[in-house]
Amino acid sequence: MTDTTRWTVSVSRNTDIAVRSFLAQRGMKKGDLSRFIEEAVKWRVLDQTVAEARGKFDDMDPEELDALIDEAVTAARQPA
């Protein structure tokens, strides 16, 4: 990480033990905790973003949504 920001976070003792045990079982060192947290945060942000996007289509007819997806996939596959 070339451009980093230091965080101070608090987690329960059980979470701390679970994460450190998980990392140790996989041969990871103390410094790997930062990378693990960063990756976990990125996945959580992606998950929340996808859930939010999906929620915006809840009231759309499934066939209409399929057609919209097909149209977007076709457009994305067009040569630039």
Side-chain angles (χ1 to χ4, degrees), residues 10-68:
S10 299
V11 297
S12 70
R13 179 137 174 82
N14 288 342
T15 299
D16 180 55
I17 291 169
V19 170
R20 291 181 189 277
S21 295
F22 176 84
L23 295 176
Q25 289 170 355
R26 284 149 185 81
M28 297 176 161
K29 308 280 187 273
K30 183 178 179 182
D32 293 329
L33 179 60
S34 292
R35 282 186 291 274
F36 181 83
I37 291 170
E38 185 166 3
E39 185 176 317
V41 168
K42 286 179 180 180
W43 276 107
R44 184 63 175 155
V45 168
L46 176 63
D47 180 60
Q48 290 289 314
T49 303
V50 168
E52 188 177 302
R54 284 183 176 153
K56 294 183 184 213
F57 294 99
D58 278 347
D59 60 345
M60 185 178 275
D61 176 64
E63 291 174 4
E64 185 180 348
L65 181 58
D66 283 343
L68 185 63

Side-chain angles (χ1 to χ4, degrees), residues 64-80:
E64 185 180 348
L65 181 58
D66 283 343
L68 185 63
I69 292 169
D70 289 342
E71 181 182 326
V73 168
T74 300
R77 289 182 177 165
Q78 295 297 320

